Amino acid sequence: MDRGIATKSNLELLKEKDYPYIVVEMRATEKDYVQEFTLAKDTFDKIEAGSKEDTSAVYVKKIMTEDACRVLGVKDESRKNGRWIP
């Protein structure tokens, strides 16, 4: 679900109907996970593109919260100045 329609009432409706969903959060949460992103290459799961032409990879980490699951992710080519960019 796009962050523009991820309102509190829309999320409550999805939960009420027991629909699975993925949401891009409306608030910036990257600052809450600076340590995780710093260690991403060592602690996240690596998902490779899977083709000879595309050698890129994405690193993901699942974090369980009280009422949801948050997925953090970075693409290895998005490094700037030696720092992972979420």
Side-chain angles (χ1 to χ4, degrees):
M1 181 183 303
D2 182 79
R3 73 177 77 206
I5 60 172
T7 63
K8 184 176 180 179
S9 61
N10 283 344
L11 294 175
E12 288 173 0
L13 178 64
L14 290 171
K15 290 176 185 177
E16 178 184 309
K17 299 287 185 180
D18 201 28
Y19 291 139
Y21 62 93
I22 296 175
V23 175
V24 175
E25 290 192 83
M26 294 180 73
R27 66 182 189 93
T29 58
E30 294 90 1
K31 65 184 179 306
D32 298 336
Y33 297 96
V34 171
Q35 183 66 27
E36 283 84 355
F37 285 121
T38 302
L39 302 172
K41 194 168 186 180
D42 298 324
T43 62
F44 284 30
D45 294 321
K46 183 178 181 181
I47 302 171
E48 296 186 34
S51 73
K52 292 179 183 178
E53 297 81 27
D54 186 356
T55 59
S56 65
V58 174
Y59 294 82
V60 296
K61 182 174 186 176
K62 182 168 76 170
I63 298 175
M64 299 303 295
T65 65
E66 286 182 26
D67 61 346
C69 172
R70 178 167 283 141
V71 178
L72 308 178
V74 291
K75 187 173 181 183
D76 61 355
E77 285 79 15
S78 64
R79 288 179 58 119
K80 293 183 181 176
N81 301 323
R83 181 173 165 258
W84 288 98
I85 305 299

